Amino acid sequence: MGDLSKRITSIPESATLAMTAKAREMKEKGIDVISLSIGEPDFKTPKHIQQGAIDAINEEKYFAYPPVNGYLDLRKAISQKFKRENGLDYAPDQIVVSNGAKQSIANVFMAILDPGDEVIVFTPYWVSYSAMILLAEGKPVFVKGSFENDFKVTAEQLAEAITEKTKAVIFSSPCNPTGSVFTKDELEKIAEVLRPHPSISIITDEIYEHINFSGKHVSIGSLDGMLDRTVTVNGFSKGFAMTGWRVGYIGAPTWIAKAANKMQGQYTSGNCSISQRAALVALSSPLDATLEMVEAYKERRSLVNNLLKEVPGFEVNMPEGAFYFFPNVRSYLGKSVNGTVINSVGDLCIYLLEDAHISLVTGEAFGDPDCLRLSYAASEDDLRTAIAKMKESLAKLS
Ligand code: PMP
Ligand code: GLU
């Protein structure tokens, strides 16, 4: 048998997907598992978007390879969306549509990183950033926001982390996994640190833009002088409940957009034609369905906040966006039940999966080994049952 490459063996499996696969296996065996591990809307894709795909099939015009960077009318609609909603002036040829925002981000790292180039990753971070940087032979530099500052990295911390090798900075706001949202003022301070370093690219992941309970979303690219070096990542998975359709996109400086297009042209070609037509309908219609979903997330957020506050030993921050809680659970480390010792939050998540039949994700996968992530993109009934069962199982630990 041959050997796998160092490249693939150096990265872990995606923890969000691995926990979800474990939960699915248990469900297939007839065990009633409540999955709070994957960040996936439990809503159906809105009907008018579904209809967009049906119409596209019936038109019989979209069966051939689409352009690698996406249909021009979709890129025009994205360019207008960026202007209208985010104050960002990306021309259609600065847009690249990909197979999910996941591929969008991977393309960018492959396009800009040389071996040893550093990427400052605001931590806690979305699980795949570090693996993608490693796959592109870059070096992730983790800068951790404190619990007291809602896990948000400060401008001072960023300034300290910059070196000659810094090629890019990446963060998500609203943040997966913490739900934190950068204010305009905080982004201004970050921009101020970056202005004297024009060769550092900013990769801002705004896929949770619509799921924001703290006020208007601000894109760092809209701040003075930032657009020329900012890659704005977004997609349809979260705001439009379209995870399975696999449509994400970037707006980027032309040199990066061209390189992402080249990368994609060799790896995957353009994104699924029918999904792109549905995405165009999503962008060209009013946001009513999105706003309804956001209202539901807001209610669930209060419910989960109240329930988690009652869980002994959990330190909880109120998230301002996305659909996750990221409680600090380190008080359970070292406890045990029937000879099983909880040595890490990963052990705690496995225990809760086996004992309470609830799937969660260890914070370690997001760069914080004291926390765990709970997705509240689930029904209120499931959330109530899951947290009650979790509490019972936790009470057995001593
Ligand atoms: N960025 C963040 C912060 C996410 O949570 C996700 C969801 N997994 C993605 C990017 C990728 O989304 P998708 O590939 O479904 O567009
Ligand atoms: N964004 C989701 C999550 O963080 C989807 C899973 C993934 O792609 O990692 O759970």
Side-chain angles (χ1 to χ4, degrees):
M1 201 169 70
D3 290 333
L4 288 170
S5 69
K6 289 196 183 68
R7 179 172 293 112
I8 195 69
T9 49
S10 72
I11 60 157
E13 195 181 344
S14 161
T16 46
L17 301 185
M19 266 322 253
T20 306
K22 273 205 182 89
R24 197 175 289 143
E25 264 169 41
M26 287 172 72
K27 277 188 200 162
E28 278 160 10
K29 287 187 193 144
I31 303 169
D32 191 12
V33 178
I34 301 180
S35 177
L36 306 181
S37 47
I38 196 158
E40 168 151 75
D42 58 322
F43 297 103
K44 292 201 170 73
T45 303
K47 276 275 180 229
H48 64 287
I49 303 176
Q50 295 182 28
Q51 193 59 47
I54 294 166
D55 291 347
I57 291 178
N58 287 336
E59 276 177 65
E60 301 196 336
K61 264 176 34 196
Y62 298 102
F63 297 149
Y65 286 125
V68 172
N69 55 352
Y71 289 118
L72 180 59
D73 53 0
L74 177 58
R75 285 184 289 114
K76 278 187 179 159
I78 292 170
S79 163
Q80 284 158 9
K81 173 256 179 288
F82 273 138
K83 264 193 212 111
R84 184 177 69 237
E85 295 179 356
N86 310 111
L88 300 169
D89 208 352
Y90 294 115
D93 66 358
Q94 293 180 271
I95 311 288
V96 181
V97 178
S98 298
N99 184 43
K102 198 175 241 182
Q103 187 186 18
S104 300
I105 302 165
N107 280 342
V108 173
F109 286 135
M110 290 299 274
I112 66 173
L113 295 182
D114 274 323
D117 282 346
E118 294 178 359
V119 181
I120 296 177
V121 181
F122 286 17
T123 304
Y125 56 85
W126 178 49
V127 57
S128 294
Y129 297 159
S130 58
M132 288 173 177
I133 295 166
L134 291 172
L135 284 172
E137 299 187 46
K139 181 176 168 216
V141 174
F142 302 109
V143 178
K144 198 160 171 184
S146 68
F147 184 83
E148 294 67 32
N149 197 38
D150 276 336
F151 298 102
K152 289 190 265 190
V153 170
T154 63
E156 293 73 27
Q157 287 179 291
L158 170 63
E160 271 173 37
I162 292 174
T163 72
E164 278 142 47
K165 291 197 174 151
T166 308
K167 195 75 190 266
V169 175
I170 185 163
F171 60 87
S172 60
S173 176
C175 175
N176 178 1
T178 64
S180 295
V181 176
F182 280 113
T183 61
K184 185 166 185 198
D185 195 42
E186 288 161 341
L187 290 174
E188 280 288 4
K189 290 189 177 130
I190 287 170
E192 216 170 284
V193 170
L194 292 169
R195 277 192 192 101
H197 303 279
S199 62
I200 299 178
S201 297
I202 304 156
I203 304 166
T204 163
D205 182 345
E206 304 185 5
I207 196 160
Y208 294 95
E209 151 183 40
H210 293 301
I211 310 169
N212 177 352
F213 317 111
S214 72
K216 193 168 160 25
H217 172 78
V218 183
S219 294
I220 190 165
S222 68
L223 305 182
D224 229 16
M226 288 294 113
L227 188 68
D228 283 355
R229 37 174 327 173
T230 299
V231 178
T232 308
V233 180
N234 211 321
F236 294 85
S237 289
K238 316 290 166 169
F240 298 94
M242 289 179 71
T243 47
W245 300 74
R246 312 305 304 126
V247 199
Y249 56 89
I250 52 169
T254 307
W255 62 281
I256 296 181
K258 274 192 178 160
N261 186 14
K262 183 169 162 189
M263 180 70 217
Q264 193 160 293
Q266 293 288 17
Y267 255 46
T268 58
S269 294
N271 163 250
C272 167
S273 58
I274 303 300
S275 292
Q276 289 193 53
R277 302 320 293 165
L280 178 60
V281 172
L283 271 195
S284 336
S285 312
L287 287 174
D288 299 351
T290 299
L291 298 175
E292 261 173 50
M293 291 188 263
V294 172
E295 239 353 89
Y297 293 134
K298 195 171 175 188
E299 279 170 27
R300 294 171 189 183
R301 179 181 71 142
S302 331
L303 172 74
V304 173
N305 186 46
N306 290 336
L307 294 172
L308 286 183
K309 274 202 248 155
E310 300 298 312
V311 181
F314 272 35
E315 281 180 66
V316 185
N317 268 12
M318 183 68 156
E320 296 181 312
F323 36 54
Y324 307 102
F325 275 81
F326 199 60
N328 185 311
V329 297
R330 82 184 141 212
S331 63
Y332 285 96
L333 301 186
K335 294 196 176 186
S336 60
V337 58
N338 301 332
T340 304
V341 185
I342 305 297
N343 285 317
S344 66
V345 177
D347 290 349
L348 188 66
C349 289
I350 295 292
Y351 167 67
L352 290 173
L353 181 63
E354 287 171 354
D355 198 72
H357 300 160
I358 308 303
S359 75
L360 302 153
V361 188
T362 169
E364 192 164 7
F366 307 94
D368 192 333
D370 289 339
C371 294
L372 59 77
R373 192 190 76 173
L374 177 153
S375 159
Y376 61 90
S379 71
E380 293 202 0
D381 279 353
D382 274 358
L383 291 166
R384 274 183 223 280
T385 311
I387 297 172
K389 282 181 160 182
M390 186 168 87
K391 242 171 112 176
E392 270 173 38
S393 293
L394 290 171
K396 295 183 205 165
L397 296 170
S398 57

